[in-house]
Amino acid sequence: DGGITQSPKYLFRKEGQNVTLSCEQNLNHDAMYWYRQDPGQGLRLIYYSQIVNDFQKGDIAEGYSVSREKKESFPLTVTSAQKNPTAFYLCASSIVSGAEQFFGPGTRLTVL
Amino acid sequence: AQKITQTQPGMFVQEKEAVTLDCTYDTSDQSYGLFWYKQPSSGEMIFLIYQGSYDEQNATEGRYSLNFQKARKSANLVISASQLGDSAMYFCAERHSGAGSYQLTFGKGTKLSVIP
């Protein structure tokens, strides 16, 4: 089955710790995206990548970092510099930038 | 900056009835696209329908149709024959270009509840 996987579904971390969220796709899509969703809000773009070894900042990149070393993988690191990291994080991919995006199941991060 | 407005935080509809979810957008781009996504309580975003700014006909996908009024900058989603499984959050999004790529800007969503 083709799709996007995110793990884990729930993640708890202590304040001040970096944490990495996993995102893997087997759809052979070039573009991948990370979004953050807060309660009662829409999605906000954190980072996106149009192609391997390339990525750009989205609207709320501060306190986050990404890498795109493989086409299938686009991990997101939430660093201790992110002031309010507790949120629902969604990863998406599209065949190319601008095409419809397919989403993973999301990771709910809680920082204690 | 692009802005998407969904003015209905919550909507109720009777099962088997049709419902319209509103979406207005604010863009100066000539070429853009509009998407609707459904988010059930599980959290995953499900793509429903797409309308390109140059498409002359309204998009349709099964029970979903998009009422596209370009001059008014609105792209309302119409769900016909509502089902209990349609209860979810619905998000409108606009695709716009910038820095050599395309990005989506999402509205804050409308929570639809289907009543038996």
Side-chain angles (χ1 to χ4, degrees):
Chain A
D1 272 319
I4 302 174
T5 57
Q6 291 185 244
S7 59
K9 189 169 179 65
Y10 298 95
L11 190 55
F12 297 87
R13 278 294 181 270
K14 291 183 179 179
E15 196 172 339
Q17 290 181 334
N18 291 356
V19 59
T20 297
L21 280 59
S22 165
C23 177
E24 303 278 333
Q25 55 100 357
N26 61 3
L27 300 168
N28 201 31
H29 285 175
D30 280 329
M32 296 187 75
Y33 313 82
W34 273 106
Y35 292 92
R36 170 182 172 137
Q37 186 178 28
D38 293 287
Q41 301 293 317
L43 278 63
R44 292 184 291 168
L45 183 64
I46 305 172
Y47 267 99
Y48 62 100
S49 167
Q50 295 186 85
I51 201 163
V52 176
N53 293 321
D54 180 68
F55 51 82
Q56 287 86 39
K57 293 181 180 180
D59 299 321
I60 55 166
E62 186 176 349
Y64 300 97
S65 66
V66 293
S67 63
R68 186 87 188 276
E69 297 175 1
K70 297 188 298 182
K71 188 174 186 177
E72 311 81 54
S73 179
F74 191 41
L76 173 75
T77 296
V78 185
T79 74
S80 56
Q82 169 49 234
K83 290 183 171 43
N84 187 17
T86 294
F88 186 54
Y89 291 88
L90 285 156
C91 177
S93 71
S94 61
I95 190 162
V96 292
S97 176
E100 68 190 67
Q101 295 181 16
F102 295 86
F103 285 79
T107 291
R108 193 167 299 278
L109 173 65
T110 302
V111 175
L112 306 170
Chain B
Q2 272 66 19
K3 184 177 178 182
I4 303 293
T5 303
Q6 294 182 252
T7 57
Q8 306 150 314
M11 290 277 288
F12 290 90
V13 63
Q14 203 76 37
E15 194 177 4
K16 300 179 185 176
E17 297 292 313
V19 62
T20 298
L21 307 184
D22 294 342
C23 172
T24 58
Y25 57 94
D26 182 12
T27 183
S28 55
D29 291 352
Q30 294 299 308
S31 176
Y32 54 89
L34 296 151
F35 296 80
W36 276 93
Y37 284 87
K38 173 184 178 180
Q39 187 179 42
S41 56
S42 60
E44 186 168 351
M45 298 283 282
I46 301 167
F47 166 74
L48 295 178
I49 197 167
Y50 167 78
Q51 178 88 39
S53 59
Y54 292 119
D55 294 340
E56 294 188 354
Q57 294 201 334
N58 287 340
T60 60
E61 289 285 349
R63 293 187 299 112
Y64 304 107
S65 60
L66 202 151
N67 183 1
F68 182 47
Q69 298 186 46
K70 194 170 181 177
R72 299 178 64 181
K73 294 189 176 180
S74 76
N76 300 338
L77 176 70
V78 180
I79 305 174
S80 63
S82 297
Q83 302 172 356
L84 295 178
D86 293 336
S87 294
M89 286 291 294
Y90 289 81
F91 291 93
C92 178
E94 186 218 344
R95 181 195 66 209
H96 51 92
S97 60
S101 66
Y102 293 98
Q103 300 175 33
L104 293 185
T105 296
F106 286 83
K108 293 187 175 182
T110 295
K111 183 175 182 179
L112 178 66
S113 300
V114 180
I115 304 165

